[in-house]
Amino acid sequence: MEDLGRLLSNYSYTDVTATKKDVVDCLKQYKALAYRVEEYTFNDGSVKQLLNLKGTIPVRYKGNTYHIPVAIWLLDTHPRYAPLCYVQPTSDMHIKVSMYVDHNGKIYLPYLHDWNPAQSDLLGLIQVMIVTFGEYPPVYSKPKTAAKPEVMPQQQQTPYPTQSFMPQPPTSTQSPYCPYPQQQQQFPPYPAAAGAGYGGYGQPSGAGASYPPYMPPGMPAAGGYNTGYNPSAQGTGTITEEHIKASLVSAVEDKLKRRIQEKVNQCQAEIQTLKRTQQELNEGQSKINDIIGRLERDEQELTKSIAVLTDKEQELERALESLEKVDGIDVDEAVTTTAPLYKQLLNAYAEEAAIEDAVYFMGEALRSGVIDLEVFLKHVRQLSRKQFMLRALMQKCRQKAGFSA
């Protein structure tokens, strides 16, 4: 499924991870579905490349299983907005118009109307389709003429499994398929008892659940239903001016609603993009302000350091000028201390260093034969004793002055 993720990324899907997971879960459950990217034409004439889940879903009707061909188009904002669903009949099928399917095959469901990105997914949508189509089949078979019966070869491959759709009621020229209500039959009112279902949508009758109440002609239809469907027009077989007028009004109203909804969805997507951009800009502004604050503090510290360095440089220049004016320098007066304790420490250190040098040169004199061993030992003993006392004095001075040992 790595190709699916790459495909979604190539076609600018906003949430590739969620869309991929939704599609993969759906394909694992329903093997007859497959995905591909195809062109989808919107009502305003614009064309866009969208992911299309196409295939059949199994529907139970009166004890038999039929495979209904559907197409589910995923918008590039999936799963934020609901997909676009269609029934796609084969050449030997007719669309049965109802409050859930219009004459173009577009599917209207409360599950789609009340789509919630946090709770709705493709699996739940297909399950609602299966339950709905089990009560109100979206297709029926075309009647076969007696003069030219179509005999399918036994080995011929059909696009869908044999008898994958709901046949029409048998006539004298038809073979006895599973009975199915005629197209002119009106839909009875739904039971009013409430029950649980898929995402607030009812189970088939007899399962203890309910469907949304059926709206009689003239009453405003609830959201998520085919507003152009009028069951009363199917009973007489006569089309009047009122029917034509109501059909035109409902078609224009449906088209306007779809265009307004698409415009609202587009504006909401742009608003979300602008909000994310604003948030990123605000975060960037905070980071830039922090960087500017650190740079200003560093600039102030550098200015202070430059001022101190300039003062020290001027002080050194004055000291050099004063030294150049002095003819001779007394070594003993070259180094001065600020306190008597420091002077005592300095003198002890200088004397101890002189004793160390004296011991070194006495050793050289002994090696050269200038002095004998007895003289060397005598003077070294005296100097070592004095050096020990000086070191003890320096240690005490350092403790007194608070220096580290």
Side-chain angles (χ1 to χ4, degrees):
M1 290 299 176
E2 294 181 359
D3 294 339
L4 176 58
R6 193 180 307 110
L7 191 67
L8 294 173
S9 300
N10 292 339
Y11 288 95
S12 303
Y13 274 76
T14 56
D15 195 342
V16 175
T17 302
T19 304
K20 178 180 177 181
K21 181 180 182 303
D22 209 2
V23 173
V24 170
D25 293 343
C26 184
L27 295 179
K28 288 180 180 178
Q29 185 72 20
Y30 300 99
K31 306 293 185 180
L33 295 176
Y35 68 86
R36 67 177 64 180
V37 174
E38 296 178 340
E39 287 187 353
Y40 181 85
T41 304
F42 291 91
N43 295 332
D44 58 359
S46 61
V47 179
K48 197 165 189 178
Q49 296 284 344
L50 298 178
L51 188 71
N52 182 12
L53 279 177
K54 195 172 182 180
T56 61
I57 58 175
V59 175
R60 293 282 298 176
Y61 179 72
K62 293 187 176 181
N64 295 321
T65 300
Y66 301 93
H67 297 274
I68 305 301
V70 296
I72 302 174
W73 297 84
L74 304 185
L75 299 174
D76 53 4
T77 54
H78 188 84
R80 181 178 295 275
Y81 298 110
L84 305 172
C85 305
Y86 291 86
V87 174
Q88 291 193 331
T90 59
S91 59
D92 52 355
M93 298 181 187
H94 274 310
I95 293 177
K96 184 172 181 62
V97 179
S98 67
M99 67 175 61
Y100 302 112
V101 180
D102 64 11
H103 64 281
N104 291 323
K106 187 171 182 180
I107 298 173
Y108 299 85
L109 293 172
Y111 191 88
L112 292 171
H113 183 267
D114 300 330
W115 183 271
N116 185 352
Q119 300 175 357
S120 304
D121 56 15
L122 294 179
L123 281 177
L125 172 61
I126 294 177
Q127 290 169 358
V128 170
M129 287 185 187
I130 291 173
V131 172
T132 304
F133 295 162
E135 281 289 306
Y136 305 101
V139 293
Y140 63 93
S141 61
K142 293 182 179 179
K144 299 178 182 179
T145 60
K148 294 181 180 180
E150 296 182 3
V151 179
M152 300 295 292
Q154 186 174 2
Q155 301 297 329
Q156 181 176 355
Q157 296 293 329
T158 59
Y160 299 99
T162 306
Q163 294 187 2
S164 61
F165 51 90
M166 283 66 172
Q168 244 184 345
T171 61
S172 59
T173 60
Q174 288 181 281
S175 59
Y177 288 103
C178 178
Y180 177 72
Q182 296 183 0
Q183 188 178 8
Q184 287 79 13
Q185 180 179 351
Q186 296 186 3
F187 294 101
Y190 305 134
Y198 294 97
Y201 188 69
Q203 299 282 350
S205 59
S210 66
Y211 287 88
Y214 168 70
M215 305 301 294
M219 297 293 290
Y225 298 96
N226 178 17
T227 55
Y229 171 65
N230 187 1
S232 63
Q234 297 185 358
T236 62
T238 303
I239 300 176
T240 64
E241 292 183 358
E242 293 296 329
H243 294 158
I244 297 174
K245 181 178 179 181
S247 176
L248 291 175
V249 169
S250 63
V252 172
E253 181 183 1
D254 185 56
K255 189 173 183 180
L256 287 176
K257 284 182 179 180
R258 286 199 298 268
R259 287 191 177 182
I260 292 173
Q261 186 63 37
E262 290 172 2
K263 195 66 176 177
V264 169
N265 294 342
Q266 180 182 356
C267 292
Q268 288 178 349
E270 292 177 355
I271 289 172
Q272 293 297 329
T273 303
L274 291 175
K275 285 183 178 179
R276 288 195 297 270
T277 304
Q278 182 183 11
Q279 183 179 1
E280 292 174 358
L281 290 175
N282 291 335
E283 293 175 356
Q285 182 181 12
S286 301
K287 293 179 181 178
I288 291 174
N289 291 335
D290 294 339
I291 293 173
I292 291 175
R294 288 198 300 269
L295 289 176
E296 289 177 351
R297 290 192 297 271
D298 293 342
E299 183 181 8
Q300 293 176 359
E301 292 178 359
L302 287 174
T303 302
K304 292 179 182 179
S305 300
I306 290 172
V308 173
L309 183 60
T310 303
D311 294 339
K312 295 296 183 182
E313 184 180 5
Q314 293 176 356
E315 185 178 350
L316 287 174
E317 289 178 354
R318 289 193 298 268
L320 288 174
E321 290 177 358
S322 62
L323 289 175
E324 290 176 355
K325 295 178 182 179
V326 177
D327 296 334
I329 299 176
D330 187 2
V331 178
D332 294 332
E333 299 296 333
V335 179
T336 58
T337 59
T338 57
L341 180 62
Y342 298 156
K343 185 174 183 180
Q344 185 179 11
L345 179 61
L346 179 62
N347 292 335
Y349 178 78
E351 191 172 354
E352 191 269 339
I355 290 175
E356 192 148 348
D357 291 341
V359 171
Y360 171 76
F361 284 109
M362 286 181 66
E364 293 295 324
L366 177 64
R367 190 176 299 106
S368 302
V370 177
I371 58 176
D372 56 8
L373 181 59
E374 185 178 355
V375 174
F376 173 76
L377 293 175
K378 178 181 178 181
H379 286 83
V380 166
R381 194 179 300 113
Q382 293 175 357
L383 292 174
S384 297
R385 188 180 297 111
K386 190 172 182 180
Q387 186 182 33
F388 174 78
M389 298 301 295
L390 290 171
R391 287 183 177 177
L393 179 61
M394 283 191 295
Q395 185 72 18
K396 194 170 183 180
C397 290
R398 292 178 67 86
Q399 292 177 356
K400 194 72 175 176
F403 297 155
S404 59

